[in-house]
Coordinates of all heavy atoms in Angstrom, one line a residue:
L182 N 0.0 6.5 -2.6 CA -1.4 5.9 -2.6 C -1.4 4.7 -3.5 O -2.5 4.1 -3.6 CB -2.3 7.0 -3.2 CG -2.4 8.3 -2.3 CD1 -2.8 9.4 -3.1 CD2 -3.2 8.1 -1.1
S183 N -0.3 4.3 -4.1 CA -0.3 3.0 -4.9 C -0.8 1.8 -4.1 O -0.3 1.6 -3.0 CB 1.1 2.8 -5.4 OG 1.5 3.8 -6.3
G184 N -1.8 1.1 -4.6 CA -2.3 0.0 -4.0 C -3.3 0.2 -2.8 O -3.7 -0.7 -2.1
L185 N -3.6 1.5 -2.6 CA -4.5 1.8 -1.4 C -5.9 1.1 -1.7 O -6.5 1.3 -2.8 CB -4.7 3.3 -1.3 CG -5.5 3.8 -0.1 CD1 -4.6 3.6 1.1 CD2 -5.8 5.3 -0.3
P186 N -6.4 0.3 -0.7 CA -7.7 -0.3 -0.9 C -8.8 0.7 -1.1 O -8.8 1.8 -0.4 CB -7.9 -1.1 0.4 CG -6.5 -1.3 0.9 CD -5.8 0.0 0.5
I187 N -9.7 0.4 -2.0 CA -10.9 1.3 -2.3 C -11.6 1.7 -1.0 O -12.0 2.9 -0.9 CB -11.8 0.8 -3.4 CG1 -11.0 0.6 -4.7 CG2 -13.0 1.6 -3.6 CD1 -10.4 1.8 -5.3
P188 N -12.0 0.8 -0.1 CA -12.7 1.2 1.1 C -11.9 2.3 1.9 O -12.5 3.3 2.4 CB -12.8 0.0 1.9 CG -12.8 -1.1 0.9 CD -11.8 -0.7 -0.1
L189 N -10.6 2.2 2.0 CA -9.8 3.2 2.7 C -9.8 4.5 1.8 O -9.8 5.6 2.4 CB -8.4 2.7 2.9 CG -7.5 3.5 3.9 CD1 -8.2 3.8 5.2 CD2 -6.3 2.6 4.2
L190 N -9.7 4.4 0.5 CA -9.7 5.6 -0.3 C -11.1 6.3 -0.1 O -11.1 7.6 0.0 CB -9.5 5.2 -1.8 CG -9.6 6.4 -2.8 CD1 -8.6 7.4 -2.6 CD2 -9.6 5.8 -4.2
R191 N -12.1 5.6 -0.1 CA -13.5 6.2 0.1 C -13.5 6.9 1.4 O -14.1 8.0 1.5 CB -14.6 5.1 0.1 CG -14.9 4.6 -1.3 CD -16.1 3.7 -1.2 NE -16.4 3.1 -2.5 CZ -17.0 3.8 -3.5 NH1 -17.4 5.0 -3.3 NH2 -17.2 3.2 -4.7
Q192 N -13.0 6.4 2.5 CA -13.0 7.0 3.8 C -12.2 8.3 3.7 O -12.6 9.4 4.3 CB -12.3 6.1 4.9 CG -13.2 4.9 5.2 CD -12.5 4.0 6.2 OE1 -11.6 4.4 6.9 NE2 -12.9 2.7 6.1
A193 N -11.0 8.3 3.1 CA -10.2 9.5 2.9 C -11.0 10.6 2.1 O -10.9 11.8 2.5 CB -8.9 9.2 2.3
I194 N -11.6 10.2 1.1 CA -12.4 11.1 0.2 C -13.5 11.7 1.1 O -13.8 12.9 1.0 CB -12.9 10.5 -1.1 CG1 -11.7 10.2 -2.0 CG2 -13.9 11.4 -1.8 CD1 -12.0 9.3 -3.2
A195 N -14.2 10.9 1.9 CA -15.3 11.4 2.7 C -14.8 12.4 3.7 O -15.5 13.4 3.9 CB -16.0 10.2 3.4
I196 N -13.6 12.2 4.2 CA -13.1 13.2 5.2 C -12.8 14.5 4.4 O -13.1 15.6 4.9 CB -11.8 12.6 5.8 CG1 -12.2 11.5 6.8 CG2 -11.0 13.7 6.5 CD1 -11.0 10.6 7.2
L197 N -12.2 14.4 3.2 CA -11.9 15.6 2.4 C -13.2 16.3 2.0 O -13.3 17.5 1.9 CB -11.0 15.3 1.2 CG -9.6 14.8 1.5 CD1 -8.9 14.3 0.2 CD2 -8.8 15.9 2.2
S198 N -14.2 15.5 1.7 CA -15.5 16.1 1.3 C -16.1 16.9 2.5 O -16.7 18.0 2.2 CB -16.5 15.0 0.9 OG -16.1 14.3 -0.2
R199 N -16.0 16.5 3.7 CA -16.5 17.2 4.8 C -15.9 18.6 5.0 O -16.4 19.5 5.6 CB -16.4 16.4 6.1 CG -17.4 15.2 6.1 CD -17.6 14.6 7.5 NE -16.4 13.9 8.0 CZ -16.1 12.6 7.7 NH1 -16.9 11.9 7.0 NH2 -15.0 12.1 8.2
S200 N -14.6 18.7 4.5 CA -13.9 20.0 4.6 C -13.9 20.7 3.3 O -13.1 21.6 3.0 CB -12.5 19.8 5.2 OG -11.8 19.0 4.3
N201 N -14.8 20.3 2.4 CA -15.0 20.9 1.0 C -13.7 20.9 0.2 O -13.4 21.8 -0.6 CB -15.5 22.3 1.2 CG -16.9 22.4 1.8 OD1 -17.7 21.6 1.5 ND2 -17.1 23.3 2.7
R202 N -12.9 19.8 0.4 CA -11.7 19.6 -0.4 C -11.8 18.5 -1.5 O -10.9 18.3 -2.2 CB -10.5 19.4 0.5 CG -10.2 20.6 1.3 CD -8.9 20.5 2.1 NE -9.1 19.5 3.2 CZ -8.1 18.9 3.8 NH1 -6.8 19.2 3.5 NH2 -8.3 18.0 4.7
A203 N -13.0 17.9 -1.5 CA -13.2 16.8 -2.5 C -14.7 16.6 -2.7 O -15.5 16.9 -1.9 CB -12.5 15.5 -2.0
Q204 N -15.0 16.1 -3.9 CA -16.4 15.8 -4.2 C -16.4 14.6 -5.1 O -15.7 14.5 -6.1 CB -17.0 17.0 -4.9 CG -18.4 16.8 -5.4 CD -18.9 18.0 -6.2 OE1 -18.1 18.8 -6.8 NE2 -20.2 18.1 -6.4

Side-chain angles (χ1 to χ4, degrees):
L182 301 157
S183 295
L185 188 70
I187 298 300
L189 193 47
L190 177 61
R191 286 185 182 282
Q192 291 175 26
I194 292 169
I196 290 163
L197 292 174
S198 294
R199 287 193 292 273
S200 61
N201 297 318
R202 294 186 290 162
Q204 176 186 18

